[in-house]
Amino acid sequence: MTTRSILDEVAAERTRQDEKWGGAVNDDEYTPLDWHEMIADYNAWARRMGAMHSPEKARRRYVQIAALAVAAIEALDRR
């Protein structure tokens, strides 16, 4: 996979998260610490999936982590 296709996948995940959770209205309620905790939780799951020899599930979590980081940046930029 190319970097571009991976970033496209992250963008699609970001859209999915916005649709599921209500976008900026919801995201703007979180503090930087909240974002850190969410990303850390997903990272723990990715690590667990890797340890369980499930690279597909670990990869999925990493895409979700990247999309969460984008959401955090977007929220910070709106402040």
Side-chain angles (χ1 to χ4, degrees):
M1 269 196 139
T2 66
T3 299
R4 173 81 288 175
S5 62
I6 293 168
L7 292 174
D8 288 344
E9 194 175 344
V10 171
E13 172 61 21
R14 182 73 195 102
T15 298
R16 187 193 73 77
Q17 291 173 357
D18 264 350
E19 290 170 354
K20 182 174 182 177
W21 300 108
V25 172
N26 182 64
D27 291 349
D28 290 349
E29 298 296 317
Y30 296 122
T31 68
L33 180 58
D34 295 328
W35 289 110
H36 173 79
E37 289 177 358
M38 283 186 278
I39 291 167
D41 287 346
Y42 274 78
N43 187 59
W45 276 108
R47 184 181 69 228
R48 182 61 138 164
M49 294 299 103
M52 294 173 64
H53 306 290
S54 184
E56 300 84 15
K57 289 181 181 177
R59 185 185 184 287
R60 178 75 185 129
R61 290 294 181 179
Y62 286 126
V63 169
Q64 291 171 329
I65 291 165
L68 282 171
V70 170
I73 294 165
E74 291 171 345
L76 287 170
D77 287 351
R78 284 191 292 272
R79 288 184 184 193

